[in-house]
Amino acid sequence: MPGAFITFEGGEGAGKSTQIERLRRRLEAQGHSVLVTREPGGSERAERIREFLLSGRAKALGTFAETILFSAARLDHLEKTIRPALAAGRIVLSDRFSDSTRAYQGAAGALEPDLLDAVERVVLAGTEPVLTLILDLPESIGMSRAVDRRGDARADRFEGEGAAFHAALRQAFLDVAKAAPQRCAVIDGSRDPDTVEKEIWDVVRTRLPDLAAPREHVAHG
């Protein structure tokens, strides 16, 4: 079987990590081999870029420079991690991908859509998710969750932005979903994790039925 690439998107505190782990368990129970990864990061070089970006050291360079750094990390992530896993027939679940660049550096960071389109074409080179699950919730709830999650740790580059930034970010993800309804599904992330998990699984079963079926049935049916 060919692999499948599924991405999770959303603002801070949306619950992506929790739901990725739950979907991984469901898919593995169906007999699939699953790789969980993240952006920025997911490969040795990309993880080093992640550390630089989230520390805030790149902020002074401007939004375009941050975009180039995210893109460099994504190129390595695709080459070293995502494409080999897909070629091996694995399901790849990624915590963020190119839609986050479109939201964070595009709408919230005010970069021109045409510029982002051009960068995306070069970086992705045709490797795109078959399904993107966007976990949506009011930014006030998301930020409260993010504060609780990090405890005494310092806010990262994007958690430390103000309410207007996070409101723009939420709308940007909703705009991504509206522009690509065949790929994206918006999930209400403000509900309890069990309810969110059930809706995600319903979306996977509806849109990607081969993945929701037991592997033996898919292989021989």
Side-chain angles (χ1 to χ4, degrees):
M1 284 182 59
F5 185 22
I6 299 174
T7 56
F8 283 69
E9 298 283 6
E12 306 299 328
K16 299 185 306 304
S17 298
T18 297
Q19 295 304 325
I20 287 172
E21 177 60 20
R22 290 182 177 217
L23 181 57
R24 179 192 66 78
R25 290 200 300 262
R26 280 185 178 264
L27 291 169
E28 288 183 344
Q30 301 298 86
H32 297 286
S33 176
V34 181
L35 172 70
V36 172
T37 188
R38 68 178 182 177
E39 287 211 348
S43 64
E44 184 178 351
R45 185 176 300 169
E47 288 290 337
R48 293 201 299 269
I49 298 174
R50 174 190 179 89
E51 181 182 356
F52 182 73
L53 282 163
L54 297 190
S55 72
R57 286 177 285 171
K59 183 176 181 179
L61 303 176
T63 305
F64 180 67
E66 283 190 320
T67 300
I68 296 303
L69 287 167
F70 275 110
S71 298
R74 185 164 299 128
L75 276 168
D76 198 67
H77 187 204
L78 281 162
E79 179 183 345
K80 301 292 176 54
T81 305
I82 294 174
R83 291 188 182 120
L86 294 175
R90 305 184 72 185
I91 299 173
V92 177
L93 306 180
S94 183
D95 184 343
R96 300 199 183 282
F97 193 60
S98 58
D99 291 317
S100 279
T101 299
R102 192 166 292 279
Y104 278 80
Q105 282 72 50
L111 275 192
E112 290 295 327
D114 288 348
L115 175 59
L116 288 172
D117 288 343
V119 172
E120 190 173 280
R121 281 195 301 272
V122 171
V123 173
L124 302 192
T127 303
E128 298 181 2
V130 295
L131 176 63
T132 296
L133 298 156
I134 296 176
L135 300 185
D136 175 60
L137 77 172
E139 58 275 8
S140 58
I141 297 176
M143 291 311 299
S144 176
R145 288 181 181 179
V147 169
D148 290 341
R149 178 184 63 201
R150 70 173 180 264
D152 295 332
R154 180 181 177 183
D156 71 25
R157 157 71 178 88
F158 298 104
E159 289 174 346
E161 292 288 347
F165 177 92
H166 292 286
L169 185 64
R170 182 190 185 190
Q171 186 58 52
F173 280 120
L174 294 175
D175 290 342
V176 166
K178 185 177 180 180
Q182 72 287 352
R183 173 174 63 84
C184 299
V186 177
I187 308 292
D188 180 357
S190 66
R191 299 167 298 172
D192 67 274
D194 290 345
T195 301
V196 174
E197 177 187 356
K198 181 181 182 301
E199 183 172 347
I200 287 174
W201 187 240
D202 287 344
V203 169
V204 172
R205 288 193 303 178
T206 299
R207 299 202 185 191
L208 303 171
D210 284 354
L211 298 190
R215 184 67 183 266
E216 294 77 13
H217 173 77
V218 174
H220 300 106

